[in-house]
Amino acid sequence: MLRVGIIGVGTVGASVANILRDNKNIITARAGKEIVVTLGVVSNLHKLRDVDIKLTDNIDDVLNDDSIDVVVELMGGIDKPNEIVRKALLKGKAVVTANKALLAYHRYELQELAGDIPFEFEAAVAGGIPIINALRDGLSANHIKSIQGIMNGTCNYMLTRMINDGVDYNEILKEAQDLGYAESDPTFDVGGFDAAHKLLILGSIAYGIDVKPEDILIEGIQNISKADIEFAKEFEYSIKLLGIAKKVGNEIELRVHPVLIPEDKMIAKVDGVMNGISVVGDKVGETMFYGAGAGGDATASAVVANIIDIARKGKGSPMLGFENQPGEKITLMSKDNIQTKYYLRLEVADKSGTLAKIATILGNNSISIEAMLQKPLKNGSANLLLTTHISIEKDIIKAMNELENSGVILTKPAMIRIEE
Amino acid sequence: MLRVGIIGVGTVGASVANILRDNKNIITARAGKEIVVTLGVVSNLHKLRDVDIKLTDNIDDVLNDDSIDVVVELMGGIDKPNEIVRKALLKGKAVVTANKALLAYHRYELQELAGDIPFEFEAAVAGGIPIINALRDGLSANHIKSIQGIMNGTCNYMLTRMINDGVDYNEILKEAQDLGYAESDPTFDVGGFDAAHKLLILGSIAYGIDVKPEDILIEGIQNISKADIEFAKEFEYSIKLLGIAKKVGNEIELRVHPVLIPEDKMIAKVDGVMNGISVVGDKVGETMFYGAGAGGDATASAVVANIIDIARKGKGSPMLGFENQPGEKITLMSKDNIQTKYYLRLEVADKSGTLAKIATILGNNSISIEAMLQKPLKNGSANLLLTTHISIEKDIIKAMNELENSGVILTKPAMIRIEE
């Protein structure tokens, strides 16, 4: 028998307990032993919960119970769960967590501390999709060329509605909040931070790279306008918030931002609240993994899979995918050096000389234009929408600053990177 | 160090050897030890091969070499590889195979014989897609409600071209043969047998069900006509050859046949030679796994992942996903009792009374019509294309026989099942 203590019995924690109860027969058959939740920790014992496990409000009741083999951490936050999982590991207990923020900051110290004790976190990235499993085990023969992940269902729902139904950003944000897809303070989701936490975890497994959220480029979807959506549709792009990891020589790009992506790409077809992660390996080519990225049962499905794995084989694969240091020295690519195509939206006065001035600024910064579209606006000005050939991020940023100060641009220029 | 012998150094075998050489540094870092191919077995030593491993034409050189830890079986066939992997297991060697036919017939005996010795076969289903890994480990918390898999790239390529470009079956078969996607005798692919082998492996992991290819419904794509394609497009369906596993009560449906599937389903968007497998779990909801189902490097990616797994943890998860017998008694559903919607294509004489007679036959067999379309043919007859509400397979078969003998149908009626 494998004994489990759950710290944090909210939506996901209750689902974990209930799956282990509802699917007990098949789980026991698969795991080879019974898995029993012996204790759950909650902060408020008086709140009604849809579980039939024994509850306590004292975390030490789990940590000090020598009969508990696995601690499932589902409380959220960073410092407190970090303290708790460290205590659990020091007591020799296996740990399963869905806590992406904890891992975004402390994954390497935790791997070090865990050593031969199982520490699993399938639910931390893309909820029910077994992407950790796929990347760490299924694709382990490959150098990973790139990862493109739709890993935030809130943003994907909002962007899908904006594209399919022409709803604008503020309207759809309110709808997402009403539906419970977005928090009252939506910044963590729409600002790209949630996706960034997940991306860093995948980056570690693909490349063994140890960076923190503040080291990487993170942009949210807040500035996507109707004009951008219309341009995307006209040029057969979809707009997605992607977490992107790419290997270029010995450098790794890690970035989260909205992208224009050709609508016939498999990842561009992942709509609504669903998540999808495309992984390109040097041998396997492109693979894609699709499913529910959030929700109590889907997330708990991943947590319980980790518990079953621990019941079956104890410590399985190395926590972050590498038993030893990767052979080559890899470093994070500077944001300045990212190279891709760009889309720019420039609100311009509709008068002669404007285009020449813009073209000159772009040309002086080694940026060449691939496609262009000018659309009149109601106020007498116009939106100049253009895409560039492959350019360097620092050149684009410099050109955007120059454009903003040139006198021919009426509002701050907007930019979306293009992935092809 | 983990020592590997490869039996069968064709396209996939050569890729396995070359991946272990080319990606040696990262594989060693991931596995925690060096993995070395010490010997490969070929039938003809004089044939030029793109590998730099030591070769022999004597299988016993691998089987009797006590230093070899893992035997990779890539020779194809059933009886001979069965004999060889049994010998390898009896000598305590781990086995990795890509041989779906071997597993379609002998997976349970091999599991029994393997016991605690690793026996892995990720490459046997959908090539480079880590679907065994996903189903056996990643989704292990779930009762699997259904699996729908595009698991034969040849058929998917042909159907995609037929739908997108209006090419007819014989023309596209020749093209697929010229491109090397289809064999000169294409029956194994286009007849659905290859997909059936893969489906049975997935069925075992999902449900623990032990059946052979001859026990299940297998139909190929040979009878898909231009009229069917046009109907599909008109009613926003795609046509795919699916391997389907479904749990209905304590019965499991296992079947391979072409289906009409709504074109907005994720699996319907898997085009060309690519494979895709949709798995619906009772907790996780729908997941989908996409990638290359064939090709030397993609298939070898899965073989090498299995070898890395063995290097990391020896015996991992139970070979077919269950440590013990599943708690409930499950049985294969009789083909007669399958329930789904159907599409029928009936070539009829364009004269009064025909429709009444057809409607009577269908009605007498408890089949009700959902949608109908009649299209004139050049020869003065017409194609009557119709879909039914959910019906029972045996009623459809009986109605089709009665229609064929009714005198109002000019050619054998054609039927495609509908998945929604």
Side-chain angles (χ1 to χ4, degrees):
Chain A
M1 188 189 287
L2 190 83
R3 289 180 177 82
V4 177
I6 301 176
I7 300 180
V9 188
T11 312
V12 177
S15 280
V16 169
N18 294 340
I19 289 176
L20 285 168
R21 177 194 64 199
D22 298 345
N23 289 0
K24 182 191 172 94
N25 285 351
I26 200 161
I27 287 173
T28 305
R30 286 183 179 143
K33 59 181 78 161
E34 216 179 314
I35 298 172
V36 178
V37 179
T38 55
L39 198 54
V41 184
V42 296
S43 50
N44 177 359
L45 276 171
H46 302 291
K47 189 172 161 189
L48 222 64
R49 282 162 218 275
D50 174 29
V51 288
D52 51 14
I53 57 171
K54 196 176 149 197
L55 295 176
T56 172
D57 57 6
N58 183 354
I59 290 173
D60 288 336
D61 290 349
V62 165
L63 295 177
N64 294 333
D65 182 341
D66 290 339
S67 78
I68 289 181
D69 306 295
V70 182
V71 170
V72 176
E73 184 277 306
L74 297 169
M75 58 193 298
I78 298 183
D79 293 343
K80 184 78 181 165
N82 189 34
E83 186 194 320
I84 289 164
V85 300
R86 294 181 72 91
K87 280 187 186 163
L89 291 171
L90 289 171
K91 290 196 172 262
K93 294 183 192 308
V95 170
V96 177
T97 180
N99 191 327
K100 52 201 171 280
L102 170 65
L103 292 166
Y105 284 95
H106 298 297
R107 60 199 182 282
Y108 283 95
E109 302 127 67
L110 289 170
Q111 176 177 248
E112 176 84 25
L113 184 65
D116 286 334
I117 303 167
F119 190 113
E120 298 294 342
F121 51 90
E122 181 62 78
V125 182
I129 306 174
I131 183 64
I132 302 294
N133 189 36
L135 193 57
R136 194 172 61 176
D137 297 350
L139 304 178
S140 59
N142 293 265
H143 280 285
I144 303 303
K145 295 170 78 168
S146 68
I147 299 171
Q148 295 176 318
I150 295 174
M151 299 185 287
N152 183 279
T154 307
C155 289
N156 205 45
Y157 173 79
M158 292 172 64
L159 291 170
T160 302
R161 287 273 284 134
M162 288 169 76
I163 288 187
N164 290 355
D165 309 311
V167 187
D168 87 2
Y169 179 81
N170 290 312
E171 195 180 332
I172 193 62
L173 176 58
K174 192 175 173 312
E175 180 184 303
Q177 286 169 328
D178 291 346
L179 285 167
Y181 293 158
E183 308 286 330
S184 54
D185 175 3
T187 316
F188 189 65
D189 288 317
V190 300
F193 302 102
D194 171 74
H197 288 170
K198 295 164 180 169
L199 177 68
L200 291 187
I201 297 171
L202 297 184
S204 281
I205 295 171
Y207 305 112
I209 190 163
D210 181 12
V211 293
K212 302 273 188 292
E214 44 274 24
D215 301 326
I216 71 166
L217 172 65
I218 304 174
E219 283 178 19
I221 63 169
Q222 303 97 324
N223 296 323
I224 308 286
S225 76
K226 274 199 172 179
D228 305 330
I229 298 282
E230 282 161 20
F231 178 88
K233 290 174 84 158
E234 195 144 343
F235 284 81
E236 297 183 341
Y237 286 112
S238 186
I239 301 187
K240 297 291 179 192
L241 180 79
L242 289 188
I244 297 170
K246 268 187 201 168
K247 187 165 187 290
V248 183
N250 286 332
E251 289 195 316
I252 308 298
E253 292 180 39
L254 289 168
R255 46 195 170 100
V256 174
H257 52 73
V259 300
L260 290 164
I261 187 163
E263 62 187 17
D264 61 350
K265 288 264 193 182
M266 206 62 197
I267 189 100
K269 300 174 186 173
V270 174
D271 281 339
V273 293
M274 300 305 277
N275 281 200
I277 300 173
S278 159
V279 181
V280 179
D282 64 342
K283 301 300 176 182
V284 75
E286 185 181 11
T287 56
M288 214 270 289
F289 305 88
Y290 167 89
D297 278 354
T299 307
S301 163
V303 172
V304 173
N306 280 158
I307 301 172
I308 294 170
D309 265 353
I310 292 169
R312 280 171 167 172
K313 47 199 171 199
K315 163 90 171 180
S317 297
M319 177 180 157
L320 295 172
F322 288 89
E323 289 284 0
N324 309 331
Q325 287 295 313
E328 61 182 333
K329 174 85 188 144
I330 47 113
T331 52
L332 182 67
M333 182 186 285
S334 158
K335 299 169 199 181
D336 287 345
N337 297 337
I338 291 167
Q339 292 192 32
T340 185
K341 294 180 172 187
Y342 295 81
Y343 155 90
L344 297 177
R345 167 167 43 87
L346 309 171
E347 189 180 342
V348 295
D350 197 356
K351 61 180 182 192
S352 67
T354 299
L355 187 57
K357 198 150 185 188
I358 290 170
T360 302
I361 290 173
L362 293 177
N364 288 345
N365 285 289
S366 312
I367 296 161
S368 67
I369 296 171
E370 181 173 274
M372 194 163 58
L373 183 69
Q374 181 163 331
K375 291 207 164 185
L377 290 169
K378 282 182 185 143
N379 60 6
S381 63
N383 258 333
L384 183 67
L385 312 172
L386 60 87
T387 61
T388 73
H389 287 288
I390 288 183
S391 309
I392 302 174
E393 180 94 1
K394 64 171 178 289
D395 294 338
I396 289 283
I397 302 296
K398 183 158 165 284
M400 284 172 66
N401 280 329
E402 290 176 19
L403 287 167
E404 196 173 350
N405 299 318
S406 67
V408 297
I409 306 287
L410 305 176
T411 56
K412 206 174 154 65
M415 174 265 277
I416 305 176
R417 296 170 192 83
I418 300 174
E419 281 285 305
E420 286 185 345
Chain B
M1 189 190 285
L2 190 81
R3 288 178 178 79
V4 176
I6 302 176
I7 300 179
V9 189
T11 312
V12 177
S15 280
V16 169
N18 293 341
I19 289 176
L20 285 167
R21 177 195 63 198
D22 299 345
N23 289 358
K24 182 190 173 94
N25 285 351
I26 200 161
I27 287 173
T28 305
R30 286 183 178 141
K33 60 180 78 159
E34 217 178 314
I35 298 172
V36 178
V37 180
T38 54
L39 198 54
V41 184
V42 295
S43 50
N44 177 0
L45 276 171
H46 302 291
K47 190 172 159 188
L48 222 65
R49 285 163 217 275
D50 175 29
V51 288
D52 50 13
I53 56 171
K54 197 176 149 197
L55 295 175
T56 172
D57 57 5
N58 184 355
I59 290 173
D60 288 335
D61 290 348
V62 165
L63 295 176
N64 294 334
D65 182 341
D66 290 340
S67 77
I68 290 181
D69 307 295
V70 182
V71 170
V72 176
E73 184 277 304
L74 298 169
M75 58 194 297
I78 299 183
D79 292 343
K80 184 76 182 168
N82 189 35
E83 188 194 319
I84 289 164
V85 301
R86 295 180 73 91
K87 280 187 186 164
L89 291 171
L90 290 171
K91 291 196 172 262
K93 295 183 193 306
V95 171
V96 176
T97 179
N99 191 328
K100 51 201 172 281
L102 171 65
L103 293 165
Y105 284 95
H106 298 296
R107 61 199 183 281
Y108 283 95
E109 303 128 64
L110 289 171
Q111 177 177 248
E112 176 83 24
L113 184 64
D116 286 333
I117 303 168
F119 191 114
E120 298 294 341
F121 51 92
E122 180 61 78
V125 182
I129 306 175
I131 182 65
I132 302 295
N133 188 36
L135 193 57
R136 193 172 62 175
D137 296 349
L139 304 177
S140 59
N142 293 265
H143 280 285
I144 303 303
K145 295 169 80 168
S146 67
I147 298 171
Q148 294 176 320
I150 295 173
M151 298 185 287
N152 184 279
T154 307
C155 289
N156 205 46
Y157 174 79
M158 292 172 63
L159 291 170
T160 302
R161 287 274 284 134
M162 287 170 75
I163 288 187
N164 290 356
D165 308 312
V167 188
D168 87 1
Y169 178 81
N170 290 312
E171 195 181 331
I172 193 61
L173 176 58
K174 191 174 174 312
E175 179 184 304
Q177 286 169 327
D178 291 347
L179 286 168
Y181 294 159
E183 308 286 331
S184 55
D185 175 2
T187 316
F188 189 66
D189 288 317
V190 300
F193 302 102
D194 171 74
H197 288 170
K198 295 165 180 168
L199 178 68
L200 292 186
I201 297 171
L202 297 183
S204 281
I205 294 172
Y207 304 113
I209 190 164
D210 182 10
V211 293
K212 302 274 186 294
E214 45 273 25
D215 300 328
I216 72 165
L217 172 65
I218 305 174
E219 282 177 18
I221 64 168
Q222 303 96 325
N223 296 322
I224 307 287
S225 75
K226 273 198 172 179
D228 304 330
I229 297 283
E230 282 162 19
F231 178 89
K233 291 175 84 159
E234 193 144 345
F235 284 81
E236 298 184 339
Y237 286 112
S238 187
I239 301 186
K240 298 290 180 192
L241 179 79
L242 290 188
I244 297 170
K246 268 187 199 167
K247 188 166 188 289
V248 183
N250 286 332
E251 289 194 317
I252 308 297
E253 292 179 39
L254 289 169
R255 45 194 169 100
V256 174
H257 52 72
V259 299
L260 290 163
I261 187 163
E263 62 187 17
D264 61 351
K265 289 265 192 179
M266 205 62 196
I267 189 101
K269 300 174 186 175
V270 174
D271 281 339
V273 293
M274 301 305 276
N275 280 200
I277 300 172
S278 159
V279 181
V280 179
D282 64 343
K283 301 301 177 184
V284 75
E286 185 182 12
T287 55
M288 213 270 288
F289 305 87
Y290 167 88
D297 278 354
T299 307
S301 163
V303 171
V304 174
N306 280 160
I307 300 173
I308 294 171
D309 265 354
I310 292 169
R312 280 170 167 171
K313 47 200 171 198
K315 164 88 170 181
S317 297
M319 176 180 157
L320 295 171
F322 288 90
E323 289 284 2
N324 309 331
Q325 287 296 313
E328 61 183 334
K329 174 85 188 144
I330 47 113
T331 52
L332 182 67
M333 182 186 285
S334 158
K335 298 168 198 181
D336 286 346
N337 297 336
I338 291 166
Q339 292 192 33
T340 186
K341 295 181 172 186
Y342 294 81
Y343 155 89
L344 297 177
R345 167 167 44 89
L346 309 172
E347 189 181 343
V348 296
D350 196 358
K351 61 180 183 192
S352 67
T354 299
L355 187 56
K357 198 151 184 186
I358 290 170
T360 304
I361 290 174
L362 294 176
N364 288 346
N365 285 289
S366 313
I367 296 160
S368 66
I369 294 171
E370 182 174 274
M372 195 162 60
L373 183 70
Q374 182 164 329
K375 292 207 163 185
L377 290 169
K378 283 181 185 146
N379 59 6
S381 63
N383 258 332
L384 184 67
L385 311 172
L386 60 87
T387 61
T388 73
H389 287 287
I390 286 182
S391 309
I392 302 174
E393 180 92 0
K394 64 171 177 285
D395 293 339
I396 290 283
I397 302 295
K398 183 159 165 284
M400 283 172 66
N401 280 327
E402 290 177 19
L403 286 167
E404 196 173 350
N405 298 319
S406 67
V408 298
I409 306 288
L410 303 177
T411 57
K412 206 174 153 67
M415 173 266 276
I416 305 176
R417 297 169 191 83
I418 300 173
E419 281 285 303
E420 285 184 347

